[in-house]
Amino acid sequence: MLSNSSKYALKAVLYLAVNSTENHKILVKTLSSRINVPKAYLSKILQELSKHNLVSSTKGPKGGFYLAEENREVRLVQIVNTIDGDNRLTSCLLSLNQCNADYPCPLHDLAGKAKSNFLKNLEETTVQDLVFDIASGKSFLPL
Amino acid sequence: MLSNSSKYALKAVLYLAVNSTENHKILVKTLSSRINVPKAYLSKILQELSKHNLVSSTKGPKGGFYLAEENREVRLVQIVNTIDGDNRLTSCLLSLNQCNADYPCPLHDLAGKAKSNFLKNLEETTVQDLVFDIASGKSFLPL
DNA sequence: CTATAAATATGACTTTGGTCATGTTTAATA
DNA sequence: TATTAAACATGACCAAAGTCATATTTATAG
Ligand code: FES
Ligand code: FES
């Protein structure tokens, strides 16, 4: 459903969302040990996210990664699509084509509703929304 | 969500369900061209399914693959689990642990219902059920 | 009983996703 | 302005999924 890489990306963004601000940046090294993702690999993922303006960063001493206000409005689907590519979530379960409700495969009804529901949620939900859930104790950040 | 291999497995089983009987067996070669899956690869998948008694086969001249009556009662989840392993469908979206509703990750509610719904459907639905849908024009076999 | 047609078993090859290491650029600070 | 601490860029390496080829076993039919 989601690749390992986008799981890592989501964990990293959520950790930053909860723990960082513009004047409290976080080092890759720290992030790595906190969310339990290999440092070098996490680095590559963060750079990709940074290039697409989904997270913020500054170089040099006192630098690090953080989430600016704008980054908190990012929708989850942007993160997933940036890492996994666009059609991982929209392809049909049986063929490799787009899923098409007018010409549904036998599994379409089994998963179709679930799948489109999930996709819709990813499109509608922002990083900030998830932070609210965490803050209110509705969900927990796995480390 | 599903690996390529299990997509192929499902397509193959469905094709057999619709087009084969005990005295109308189908060659790998034929199946391969009909469902558009590389012959050698399909072979390997069918052998795996056969070993787990999810499809039937006989060797030698006039041999081939087919679905016996018992095979039509197979549940989709058996096919997927045989090919993909057991926990591809039950793992959490963020961590690598089992998904746990009592300690939900931030994505759990987003996808959790969808995911468990899909899983439940896979567990409840038999091959035969899908054949009914195809026969009644509710769904279509992608080739 | 022999020849042949099929699945089956095994393993090698290829591609892709994931992992890591090394060097380069940028910014702070002394 | 020199030093240094950090992200950034690039590419090599490894493991797993997917792909294919070859040899073996089994059953039919003549
Ligand atoms: S057509 Fe196959 S999942 Fe929608
Ligand atoms: S706990 Fe993460 S999906 Fe359920």
Side-chain angles (χ1 to χ4, degrees):
Chain A
M1 184 124 62
L2 299 180
S3 75
N4 244 329
S5 296
S6 39
K7 291 183 184 184
Y8 291 168
L10 288 167
K11 281 171 81 169
V13 168
L14 287 175
Y15 185 90
L16 289 177
V18 171
N19 298 101
S20 81
T21 64
E22 180 151 10
N23 40 23
H24 181 246
K25 309 191 178 83
I26 297 186
L27 306 187
V28 172
K29 189 180 165 188
T30 308
L31 233 191
S32 163
S33 70
R34 293 299 163 76
I35 68 176
N36 203 30
V37 172
K39 174 174 171 300
Y41 188 24
L42 179 60
S43 234
K44 186 171 255 185
I45 293 173
L46 284 172
Q47 286 164 205
E48 192 69 19
L49 293 175
S50 173
K51 193 189 302 176
H52 289 77
N53 302 310
L54 304 179
V55 303
S56 302
S57 66
T58 61
K59 290 182 179 179
K62 286 292 164 192
F65 288 93
Y66 64 100
L67 286 208
E69 288 310 312
E70 47 170 81
N71 296 322
R72 294 169 191 273
E73 301 304 325
V74 163
R75 284 154 200 274
L76 304 182
V77 70
Q78 296 180 257
I79 296 169
V80 173
N81 282 350
T82 296
I83 303 296
D84 282 350
D86 288 30
N87 59 0
R88 176 159 188 144
L89 292 164
T90 57
S91 63
C92 164
L93 285 169
L94 283 190
S95 79
L96 300 174
N97 311 329
Q98 291 298 98
C99 172
N100 176 1
D102 292 335
Y103 189 70
C105 75
L107 290 194
H108 183 88
D109 279 342
L110 248 63
K113 202 184 300 176
K115 187 155 65 76
S116 60
N117 187 304
F118 177 52
L119 184 57
K120 182 158 145 290
N121 283 341
L122 283 183
E123 281 164 355
E124 288 175 352
T125 307
T126 67
V127 171
Q128 187 62 50
D129 292 335
L130 292 187
V131 172
F132 285 143
D133 287 350
I134 297 170
S136 66
K138 279 180 55 184
S139 68
F140 306 88
L141 248 195
L143 305 181
Chain B
M1 184 125 60
L2 298 180
S3 75
N4 243 330
S5 296
S6 39
K7 290 184 186 185
Y8 291 168
L10 288 167
K11 281 172 81 169
V13 168
L14 286 175
Y15 185 91
L16 289 177
V18 171
N19 298 102
S20 80
T21 63
E22 180 151 10
N23 40 23
H24 181 246
K25 309 192 178 83
I26 297 187
L27 305 187
V28 173
K29 189 180 165 185
T30 309
L31 232 190
S32 163
S33 70
R34 293 298 163 77
I35 68 177
N36 202 30
V37 173
K39 176 174 169 302
Y41 189 23
L42 180 60
S43 235
K44 187 171 256 187
I45 292 172
L46 285 172
Q47 286 164 208
E48 193 69 19
L49 293 175
S50 174
K51 192 189 302 176
H52 289 77
N53 301 309
L54 304 179
V55 304
S56 302
S57 66
T58 62
K59 290 181 177 181
K62 285 292 161 193
F65 288 93
Y66 65 100
L67 286 208
E69 288 311 312
E70 47 171 74
N71 295 323
R72 295 169 190 273
E73 302 303 327
V74 163
R75 285 155 200 275
L76 304 182
V77 71
Q78 296 181 257
I79 295 170
V80 173
N81 281 350
T82 297
I83 304 295
D84 282 351
D86 289 30
N87 60 0
R88 177 160 187 142
L89 292 164
T90 57
S91 64
C92 164
L93 286 168
L94 282 191
S95 80
L96 301 173
N97 311 331
Q98 292 296 100
C99 173
N100 176 0
D102 292 335
Y103 189 71
C105 75
L107 290 193
H108 183 87
D109 279 342
L110 250 63
K113 202 184 303 179
K115 188 154 65 78
S116 60
N117 187 303
F118 177 51
L119 183 58
K120 183 158 145 290
N121 283 342
L122 283 183
E123 280 164 355
E124 289 173 353
T125 308
T126 67
V127 171
Q128 187 62 48
D129 293 335
L130 293 187
V131 172
F132 284 143
D133 288 349
I134 297 169
S136 66
K138 278 181 55 184
S139 69
F140 307 88
L141 248 194
L143 305 179

